[in-house]
Amino acid sequence: MTALIHLAARSLWNRRFTAGLALLSITISVALLIGVEKVRTEARSSFTQTVAGTDLIVGARSGSVQLLLYSVFRIGDATSNVSWESYQRISSHPMVAWAIPLSLGDSHRGYRVVGTTDSYFERLRYGGDRSLELAEGAWFDDLFEATLGAEVARSLGYRIGDEITLAHGTGSQSFLDHDNMPFTISGILAPTGTPVDQSIHVSLEAIEAIHLGWQSGVPIPGQEVSPEDARAQDLQPRAITAFLLGLQSRAAVFQVQRAINAYPDEALSAILPGVALQQLWSLVGIAENALLVVAAFVVLAGLAGMVTMLLASLSERRREMAILRSVGARPVHVFGLLTAESTLLGITGAIAGFALVYIAMALGAPLAQASFGIHLAPSAPSPRELTLLGMVIAGSAFAGAIPAWRAYRLSLADGLSIRT
Amino acid sequence: MSSGSTQSIIALTGIRYRWRPNAPIVLDIEQLHIAPGERLFIRGPSGSGKTTLLGLMGGVLTPGSGHVHLAGSDLAKLSAAARDRLRADEIGFVFQMFNLIPYLSVLDNVLLPCRFSRKRSERAATDHGPADEARRLLDRLGLSEETLLARDVAELSVGQQQRVAVARALIGRPGIVIADEPTSALDADSRDEFLSLLQEECSASGAALLFVSHDVSLAHHFDRTLDMKTLNRALDGEAIKP
Ligand SMILES: Nc1ncnc2c1ncn2[C@@H]1O[C@H](COP(=O)(O)OP(=O)(O)OP(=O)(O)O)[C@@H](O)[C@H]1O
Ligand SMILES: [Mg+2]
């Protein structure tokens, strides 16, 4: 057995150019397969980490996935708002430990602006029990101060004291600006690996202020308000987009949820983030599986390439087989030699593909963080990934049986007659 | 069993062989005995069945009828696996050319039979390790330099390759060395040198030598010469055909 593996390795090394090409295609296909799987699990764990500290999310009545996406992940928009009165009444419920109001709908160069309160900085938890920290500066204090998420500051190159203006709407190309009221950057948060990094935080009052003189999402002509005028006005918010709740006890979560869903004055939805995530995963599961199937077919193509390479090599190896037979190799040894070669290629390709994924993850982590807020941490291979790798290796052994069988037949037919 | 099987290292009786069920019989041999240590020359033109005969002796091919005894065992009574083992134990082969596995070093090529035959591996290891025995053989065959041992086999001259093949055939002292036209790719000088080396080493290790060639001028180096034309009755039929 070891003799065969030794022979197989030497024989592959002897044909390292063609074998290398076959190996490359297996490596890339394995990298794709494992990459799809890794991104899937990393995205899931990243999403789960983001909502881990929140017991309930409350917004205007809508689908729970939609509410989860716009409130926490800042994907999509709310269809309607929650009144300030409802927010105040619910957040003063005896079972509620804390509440974080969120007022969304504005942006700055593609990054979402979140109107909120100090409770956001103090109470928001992510990744188990971690709280937000400032990398530099302070949480906003003044009406026209903003605190940036780490990624916003990094990619736009902002520092403390820089001035920014907000745009109305959430597209990166907004035509309506709030440029009459610039904000000063008061602080920059430390990276969290959650959508917080992509957000610009201002006070609820600031959101009110920049919309003074606006009606139905457009400025009323000739009614431009200056920052000084704004400060003089009553900036008590009338509505927010959604809010996050932390409860005194997790056990109360269904009770509070029921109370909110039955709230008489306004149609509200309270959702458990974990449950909403499950719904989200079952929605995207089809696409994920489709991707996995595509990746699996790419692996098949890689294995087919290897089989082609081995089959093509056989005609020039009939002499080698006859020599091996003459020194005592049995036809099964000839069979074993070819399967050992394909299995070696499979194992090497699987390991190399896996390594490639880790390298790509290390290189692509900043990009994934910047564009999707997904935190890609190199993690030990999961049992599922190991199963996939095992299947690739088993597949390569089975694929090798095709050229191996042919070599077996040829060596039986040739005997010791050496043919080229 | 038959009387010949005990005294002969190889005994063939009533052999008929065809490559495929409906193909013509290419080999029809009534009797052939080779004594231990004997040096036998088999001559015959191309296509007369020389290589086929060697395949039958080595148990690589199985005759349609008749018996092959190798080192006292009737090959027909052995399983395919046992036949392969017996071949590995008892026969060293040298072919016409390109005898070596291109991706193995000279030393690994010589050691190849030891990987498939425990018996030869043990015999090669009696005094030193098999690798030392391989070096000793290569040395006796004039391939001493260490550099040669490490070199890519494809860089060796044809004569050097044939000598490496002889070392491989002899390692672990098999009972018989079968050489299938090993000199046809050599020039006259290297051919004579190669032939005497081969004979010397075979007698040194006590192996019978079965040498197959169409070059009659080599026959006088051997104890006995057989002609395929007389040995192989299948050729008579062919001769009659126009
Ligand atoms: N592997 C094979 N499959 C089918 N027929 C074969 C095979 N090997 C040889 N033959 C046929 O068997 C006959 C004898 O061939 P063989 O190779 O034994 O002759 P040979 O005496 O060794 O010839 P040469 O001197 O050219 O090597 C030929 O007719 C040949 O075509
Ligand atoms: Mg021949």
Side-chain angles (χ1 to χ4, degrees):
Chain A
M1 193 60 196
T2 48
L4 273 188
I5 292 168
H6 175 250
L7 276 182
R10 299 295 295 268
S11 145
L12 285 176
W13 180 246
N14 186 50
R15 284 171 294 124
R16 51 192 170 275
F17 182 70
T18 45
L21 286 179
L23 182 63
L24 186 71
S25 68
I26 296 175
T27 302
I28 291 173
S29 67
V30 167
L32 187 68
L33 183 72
I34 297 299
V36 166
E37 175 62 15
K38 266 261 187 267
V39 166
R40 190 184 80 97
T41 49
E42 289 297 321
R44 287 188 176 199
S45 85
S46 175
F47 273 47
T48 310
Q49 298 272 296
T50 303
V51 297
T54 302
D55 291 327
L56 284 172
I57 301 170
V58 186
R61 181 150 300 163
S62 65
S64 50
V65 170
Q66 191 195 358
L67 174 52
L68 174 80
L69 287 179
Y70 73 67
S71 64
V72 177
F73 297 103
R74 295 167 198 155
I75 298 169
D77 294 293
T79 42
S80 57
N81 287 334
V82 179
S83 74
W84 184 245
E85 290 71 36
S86 303
Y87 165 67
Q88 288 208 305
R89 279 188 50 195
I90 291 168
S91 55
S92 59
H93 187 283
M95 291 308 294
V96 171
W98 52 262
I100 300 172
L102 303 169
S103 190
L104 307 162
D106 293 290
S107 64
H108 172 74
R109 294 177 64 181
Y111 291 101
R112 301 277 177 125
V113 172
V114 182
T116 184
T117 61
D118 293 349
S119 63
Y120 186 99
F121 181 59
E122 286 156 10
R123 308 313 293 257
L124 197 68
R125 295 288 181 271
Y126 69 96
D129 200 31
R130 304 178 61 185
S131 51
L132 297 184
E133 273 168 40
L134 281 154
E136 35 178 337
W139 188 248
F140 61 79
D141 193 28
D142 184 69
L143 184 60
F144 294 114
E145 279 184 351
T147 307
L148 304 190
E151 184 53 34
V152 183
R154 194 196 63 80
S155 72
L156 300 181
Y158 289 144
R159 345 201 111 261
I160 308 282
D162 287 354
E163 283 204 342
I164 57 171
T165 58
L166 308 187
H168 192 73
T170 51
S172 53
Q173 292 292 317
S174 284
F175 297 107
L176 297 170
D177 288 328
H178 299 294
D179 48 8
N180 54 329
M181 295 188 202
F183 283 75
T184 308
I185 295 165
S186 70
I188 294 165
L189 293 167
T192 62
T194 74
V196 170
D197 297 353
Q198 266 89 250
S199 305
I200 295 162
H201 307 90
V202 299
S203 64
L204 287 174
E205 290 76 18
I207 299 289
E208 285 299 316
I210 59 177
H211 293 100
L212 285 173
W214 284 52
Q215 210 157 42
S216 332
V218 287
I220 304 161
Q223 283 214 15
E224 192 156 294
V225 184
S226 73
E228 294 70 37
D229 297 340
R231 285 183 193 277
Q233 303 222 13
D234 171 24
L235 293 173
Q236 159 95 334
R238 273 158 294 170
I240 56 174
T241 314
F243 55 98
L244 312 179
L245 288 182
L247 301 183
Q248 303 286 4
S249 135
R250 277 248 152 130
V253 74
F254 293 108
Q255 182 200 337
V256 177
Q257 185 189 28
R258 264 196 307 277
I260 296 172
N261 285 340
Y263 189 73
D265 302 345
E266 199 174 351
L268 297 178
S269 292
I271 59 159
L272 281 75
V275 175
L277 268 184
Q278 281 312 314
Q279 289 180 12
L280 179 61
W281 300 145
S282 60
L283 272 177
V284 297
I286 300 162
E288 286 173 354
N289 287 339
L291 269 181
L292 265 183
V293 168
V294 169
F297 273 105
V298 175
V299 170
L300 274 186
L303 293 181
M306 176 188 73
V307 169
T308 312
M309 184 277 287
L310 287 175
L311 279 175
S313 75
L314 283 188
S315 56
E316 66 189 43
R317 295 180 71 187
R318 287 172 83 166
R319 168 183 300 278
E320 175 191 331
M321 302 305 164
I323 296 170
L324 287 175
R325 291 278 280 140
S326 79
V327 296
R330 309 194 44 210
V332 292
H333 287 130
V334 170
F335 187 91
L337 176 64
L338 269 293
T339 34
E341 288 183 14
S342 70
T343 312
L344 273 181
L345 283 176
I347 292 172
T348 320
I351 293 171
F354 215 82
L356 199 61
V357 170
Y358 277 106
I359 293 169
M361 271 172 73
L363 295 180
L367 187 73
Q369 177 78 70
S371 348
F372 309 109
I374 293 172
H375 186 56
L376 292 179
S379 50
S382 71
R384 201 178 135 107
E385 286 158 13
L386 291 179
T387 311
L388 285 175
L389 285 187
M391 282 163 67
V392 170
I393 292 169
S396 66
F398 275 113
I402 299 166
W405 176 247
R406 195 166 153 68
Y408 175 93
R409 302 289 310 169
L410 283 176
S411 79
L412 274 183
D414 287 354
L416 295 182
S417 33
I418 286 184
R419 325 199 136 227
T420 32
Chain B
M1 286 280 123
S2 89
S3 59
S5 67
T6 45
Q7 304 144 10
S8 312
I9 181 85
I10 289 180
L12 273 64
T13 36
I15 294 292
R16 276 158 176 258
Y17 185 78
R18 48 178 109 226
W19 277 96
R20 266 174 298 278
N22 291 319
I25 290 176
V26 293
L27 212 59
D28 183 349
I29 295 176
E30 201 180 357
Q31 289 283 334
L32 174 61
H33 295 274
I34 301 172
E38 186 182 7
R39 290 181 291 179
L40 176 63
F41 183 81
I42 295 185
R43 54 178 286 205
S46 183
S48 58
K50 303 185 295 291
T51 304
T52 309
L53 175 63
L54 305 186
L56 285 163
M57 289 173 169
V60 177
L61 308 174
T62 3
S65 60
H67 289 274
V68 179
H69 286 83
L70 174 59
S73 309
D74 184 351
L75 292 186
K77 296 217 168 77
L78 299 179
S79 68
R83 279 203 302 273
D84 287 319
R85 199 171 311 124
L86 189 63
R87 171 176 73 254
D89 290 346
E90 295 300 336
I91 307 180
F93 281 96
V94 183
F95 297 112
Q96 187 172 5
M97 57 196 298
F98 305 121
N99 265 288
L100 307 181
I101 304 277
Y103 51 81
L104 294 180
S105 69
V106 171
L107 196 59
D108 281 334
N109 262 288
V110 175
L111 287 171
L112 216 42
C114 298
R115 303 209 190 275
F116 291 98
S117 161
R118 163 129 12 107
K119 217 169 176 179
R120 284 175 74 177
S121 176
E122 279 165 1
R123 273 188 245 149
T126 39
D127 306 320
H128 338 272
D132 284 338
E133 171 67 4
R135 284 202 191 84
R136 190 191 67 80
L137 282 167
L138 286 169
D139 190 51
R140 300 251 340 221
L141 290 161
L143 300 165
S144 56
E145 314 98 274
E146 280 295 315
T147 49
L148 198 63
L149 296 183
R151 225 161 70 184
D152 192 342
V153 294
E155 288 170 20
L156 300 181
S157 74
V158 179
Q160 286 172 324
Q161 289 187 25
Q162 293 306 81
R163 281 182 277 163
V164 173
V166 171
R168 184 178 66 199
L170 288 169
I171 196 163
R173 277 180 278 119
I176 181 163
V177 170
I178 294 182
D180 189 1
E181 310 200 43
T183 53
S184 59
L186 301 179
D187 59 54
D189 285 347
S190 6
R191 190 185 58 200
D192 288 342
E193 190 198 326
F194 175 82
L195 207 58
S196 46
L197 269 175
L198 179 62
Q199 298 209 330
E200 256 171 53
E201 289 308 314
C202 284
S203 17
S205 83
L209 174 61
L210 176 55
F211 193 98
V212 165
S213 177
H214 53 254
D215 185 354
V216 206
S217 68
L218 301 172
H220 67 274
H221 293 281
F222 294 84
D223 299 339
R224 183 157 67 114
T225 300
L226 282 174
D227 193 331
M228 281 305 273
K229 283 187 203 133
T230 48
L231 185 65
N232 182 5
R233 292 182 304 192
L235 294 177
D236 304 344
E238 235 170 22
I240 294 163
K241 281 180 210 152

